[in-house]
Every structure is written in structure tokens, then in C-alpha cells.
Amino acid sequence: MQTTMASRLKAMGKKYNVVIFFVILAIAAYIISGVAPTVFLQEIASRFCRNTFQVLALIIPVVAGLGLNFSIVIGAMAGQMAVIHTVSFGITGFPSFLVSILISTPLAILFGFLVGKVLNKTKGNEMITSMILGYLANGIYQFIYLYLIGTVIPFPDKSMMNDNGVGIKSSLGFDGTFRYSLTDVWNTNLSDFVLVAGIAALVCVAAYLIYSFVRRKKAGIPLRASRIAGCIVIAAVSIFLLVLRQVSFQAQFIMRFVTFPVSALICILLLCLFNTWIFRTKLGHDFRAVGMNQQVAMVSGINVNRTRIIAMILSTVFAAWGQIIRLQDIGTMNTYSAHEQIALLAVAAILVGGASVVKANNKNAILGIILFHSIFAVSPQVGTALFEDSQVGEYFRVFLAYGIIFVALAMNAVQQAKQSKEEKG
């Protein structure tokens, strides 16, 4: 019994070694930083709802064998283009968010189609190609909005343009127009959110277990132990948070001062449900088949190139929507650089959650965004605490993003090498 338990723990440690490493790193970073709990939780809540949508946009290309899609930066550009023109039309509030989504979608579909066509010509080198395409698109984007706007392309809002009437200003503020256009639809404190979400989670778990039990009993199939365990974990966490909210004065104080944009969270949940649903459809099975082996998929009658293009289109559209969600929450935009780090941060986050270049799911994205930003949010304070220099602390944040990608990829590579060696042995 002890041997079996030890072997299971060892196997679990091998499987989740990347996640375990970054959990330890996140705890250490928080302790060293000395950041107040309210500040830390507020940062995580804001960053989670602001950035998770774009991380989820990486999943479909990974499953379809396109690797980590660094070209989501092109989708982010489509989102920014939509926001610029929506604000120039004078649209405000939630309608500005909807109009931005409508404008960005056809742009992102076109961009995703073009990227997919290029990646089909460079099979086996998709990640580096998508990265180079991002740089190419960035040059075209800057040429349009820095030189063509105001000269070749007319622009209605002169206040958004440079003083010479050519090009868009390098920094735009959206106060009173686009800012919080989605966030303000439903924005509450963490205490009220825990109450609603905790009760909803318990009801959903109970309904799911009853439905699964009845359906499987009719079919004569027992419930899966893994799903029961997952339901128990969700119920236990929900009950713990609800009880903590009621009995702990300190927890109540912290939760009251942390705001939570529920409307953005709903968008994230909808994308998670979409990802879950699509992988159960024929198209989703085609994604998996193409990702596992393109030759076998082709022999099976799957149009490999078409399937890869669809995966890239979906990823680009979701990246555009994610950038719109992000910009409305920030409230400002660096016109020519707001998109540049999107791919880097999203890839780092999903790798921290245990994903690899061939495997990714919603759990990797959700866990990764929490762990990555738990480290990333406090990294300037950690750098300052370790080196006693605030400027070094800011450089430490940039180093951390690249370092996380390197460490996660290296650990995944070592793990895969060991697995292949064990299978051959």
C-alpha cells in the first residue's frame, strides 16, 4: 500500500513538476515582496480578468499542432484597430465594447486566414514563423497608423491625432468613452462575488452529480472517480470560502476592499465552455487528429491545411477580443506598443500552468495565469528587496517573463525525454 502510494506521488510529481516548481516560486515571491494581502489580491483579480481571455486563445492552435501561437499579437492589433475607430466615432459605454467586437471580428478572421496560409507553407517551424509574422504585422500596423492616417486615410477625431495632423498619438486615454465599458456592466467586491459564486458552484456540483448518476445508472456505467474527486474539491473550496467569509473578520475586511469584474469573468467562462464544447465536435476531433499526426489525419480524409487555418482564425479572433477586454479595463493604450508583449506574457502564463508545445487545456490556462501573475505582479518589489534598487526591480520583471518561458520549456523537454526513454527501455 505504501509502495503504491509512494509510486503515485512520484508519478504525480513528474507529471506536475512545472506547476509545483512555480507554486513554490509564487509563494516565495509573495513572502519576499512584503506586499499587503489586499493589494496582492486586487492585482491578481484584475490581472486574471484582464489577461486570461488571451491565454485561452492559445489552446486551439496547440491542440491542432501549430505550437505556441506567438502571432496572437496580430489578433491584438485587430482589437486595437477596432478600439481606435470605435472611440473616434464617439461611441461610449457598453455599446463601444460591442462595436469594437463587431469591427475587430472580420479583421481578425482575415488576419487569421492569412497567418494560417503562411504557416501551412512552413510546417514544422510554426512557432518561429508566427513570431516573425508578428514583427512583420507590427511594421505594417505602425506604417498605417503613424503615416497613412491623416494623409491617405481620413480620420474623424482630430483630437486623437498628432499635432501635425498626421498619425495617431502614441498614447490614448479612454476616460469617459471606452474605459470600463465591460467592467462596469457587473463589477462587485470579492466578498459579494464569493457569496454568489460559492452558492452557484455548490448548486452546479449537486446538479451535475445527480444528472450524471441518473444518466450513468440507466446506462449501467459507474461514475468516474476522477470526476467525483473534482466535484468534492470544488464543493470543499466553495464551502471553505463561504465559511471564511462569515467567521473571519480579517477575511471580510480584505474581501470588501478587493473589487472583481464579474462581467469579464463571464466572458472568460464562456470561452472555457466553447473550448470544452468544440473539442467534442467533429472539428475538435479533427484538431486533435491533425495535432497528433498530420499524415494519418490526411489518410483519414481530413483536410489538414483547412483545419489548421480554422484553428488559426479562431485563435486570432479570440486574441482580438481579449485585447479589447484588456484595453477597456486598463483605460489607456500605447498605440504602437500595447500589443508587443501580449504573446510573450500569454505564452509564459500557459507554460507555467503545465502546458507544452503539444498539449494545452483550460486548466493549464487558468492555473497558469494565476501563478504567473502572482509572480509577475510582485516581481518589482522582489527585485527591489533582493537588490535594493527599484530600477533593477523593473528589469527583474522583464527577465522573469523570458526566464519563465525558458525554464518551463526546458522542464517540459526534460520530462518528455525521460518519458520517451522509459518507453523505449
Side-chain angles (χ1 to χ4, degrees):
M1 181 69 178
Q2 291 180 352
T3 305
T4 305
M5 182 62 69
S7 61
R8 285 182 179 178
L9 290 174
K10 186 177 180 180
M12 186 175 294
K14 287 183 178 179
K15 184 177 180 180
Y16 299 105
N17 60 349
V18 176
V19 176
I20 293 170
F21 173 78
F22 285 107
V23 166
I24 297 171
L25 189 61
I27 294 171
Y30 173 72
I31 294 172
I32 294 171
S33 69
V35 174
T38 51
V39 176
F40 179 73
L41 286 176
Q42 183 62 72
E43 279 290 311
I44 299 305
S46 299
R47 289 171 177 272
F48 179 84
C49 293
R50 185 185 299 163
N51 299 301
T52 302
F53 206 94
Q54 287 175 321
V55 179
L56 290 167
L58 294 170
I59 293 174
I60 291 177
V62 170
V63 175
L66 290 154
L68 299 167
N69 179 23
F70 284 91
S71 67
I72 61 168
V73 67
I74 300 177
M77 290 180 210
Q80 289 175 195
M81 294 166 70
V83 170
I84 289 172
H85 292 285
T86 298
V87 174
S88 73
F89 296 147
I91 304 171
T92 62
F94 185 61
S96 68
F97 175 79
L98 295 179
V99 171
S100 297
I101 293 292
L102 289 174
I103 295 175
S104 69
T105 301
L107 290 173
I109 290 173
L110 174 62
F111 296 162
F113 173 79
L114 294 175
V115 171
K117 293 287 284 186
V118 173
L119 295 185
N120 281 339
K121 302 291 184 181
T122 59
K123 291 177 181 176
N125 299 292
E126 289 90 350
M127 283 198 294
I128 187 64
T129 303
S130 64
M131 187 180 295
I132 298 303
L133 285 174
Y135 291 129
L136 172 63
N138 186 41
I140 298 172
Y141 169 85
Q142 291 190 9
F143 176 69
I144 293 172
Y145 285 92
L146 194 57
Y147 295 106
L148 296 187
I149 293 290
T151 54
V152 178
I153 304 173
F155 197 76
D157 192 344
K158 303 302 179 185
S159 65
M160 297 174 63
M161 300 177 68
N162 293 316
D163 294 337
N164 61 359
V166 178
I168 302 296
K169 290 180 179 178
S170 60
S171 180
L172 297 175
F174 302 132
D175 286 339
T177 56
F178 179 67
R179 188 175 190 181
Y180 299 148
S181 55
L182 175 65
T183 300
D184 281 346
V185 173
W186 187 1
N187 193 25
T188 186
N189 61 59
L190 189 57
S191 177
D192 294 340
F193 173 76
V194 167
L195 177 62
V196 175
I199 294 174
L202 291 174
V203 171
C204 289
V205 166
Y208 173 78
L209 288 175
I210 293 171
Y211 170 76
S212 298
F213 177 77
V214 171
R215 190 183 69 170
R216 288 178 174 270
K217 187 176 181 180
K218 288 182 179 179
I221 304 172
L223 283 172
R224 292 183 183 178
S226 59
R227 294 190 176 182
I228 295 175
C231 290
I232 292 173
V233 170
I234 293 172
V237 171
S238 301
I239 292 171
F240 171 76
L241 291 175
L242 288 170
V243 172
L244 186 67
R245 175 185 177 274
Q246 291 298 121
V247 302
S248 173
F249 175 77
Q250 186 176 7
Q252 291 175 8
F253 176 81
I254 293 173
M255 289 180 180
R256 288 288 178 187
F257 280 87
V258 176
T259 58
F260 201 89
V262 182
S263 49
L265 179 64
I266 291 173
C267 294
I268 292 168
L269 291 176
L270 289 175
L271 182 52
C272 287
L273 291 174
F274 176 84
N275 285 340
T276 302
W277 168 79
I278 198 168
F279 289 126
R280 295 179 179 178
T281 64
K282 181 185 182 303
L283 179 60
H285 292 308
D286 290 349
F287 287 152
R288 293 187 186 279
V290 171
M292 291 176 65
N293 192 309
Q294 293 184 29
Q295 296 299 325
V296 173
M298 192 178 298
V299 172
S300 301
I302 298 172
N303 189 328
V304 172
N305 288 344
R306 177 176 171 273
T307 302
R308 285 161 57 93
I309 289 174
I310 293 173
M312 192 53 57
I313 289 174
L314 289 173
S315 179
T316 307
V317 170
F318 294 149
W321 294 356
Q323 184 71 344
I324 293 171
I325 293 172
R326 181 173 178 270
L327 290 176
Q328 64 83 33
D329 189 64
I330 295 174
T332 60
M333 182 177 77
N334 293 321
T335 309
Y336 304 107
S337 61
H339 54 276
E340 290 181 349
Q341 298 297 316
I342 294 301
L344 172 67
L345 300 181
V347 168
I350 201 167
L351 288 174
V352 167
S356 66
V357 295
V358 296
K359 178 183 72 69
N361 54 42
N362 290 332
K363 290 182 289 187
N364 297 139
I366 299 298
L367 181 59
I369 202 78
I370 293 173
L371 288 177
F372 175 73
H373 282 286
S374 295
I375 303 169
F376 195 74
V378 300
S379 56
Q381 291 85 347
V382 172
T384 303
L386 293 176
F387 303 106
E388 299 181 351
D389 188 336
S390 58
Q391 189 64 36
V392 173
E394 286 299 326
Y395 287 123
F396 188 74
R397 171 177 279 182
V398 178
F399 163 77
L400 181 70
Y402 287 101
I404 280 176
I405 292 178
F406 169 75
V407 171
L409 286 175
M411 293 179 72
N412 275 310
V414 171
Q415 184 178 351
Q416 290 175 7
K418 287 183 178 179
Q419 287 179 351
S420 61
K421 188 176 180 180
E422 289 175 357
E423 289 174 358
K424 291 178 180 178

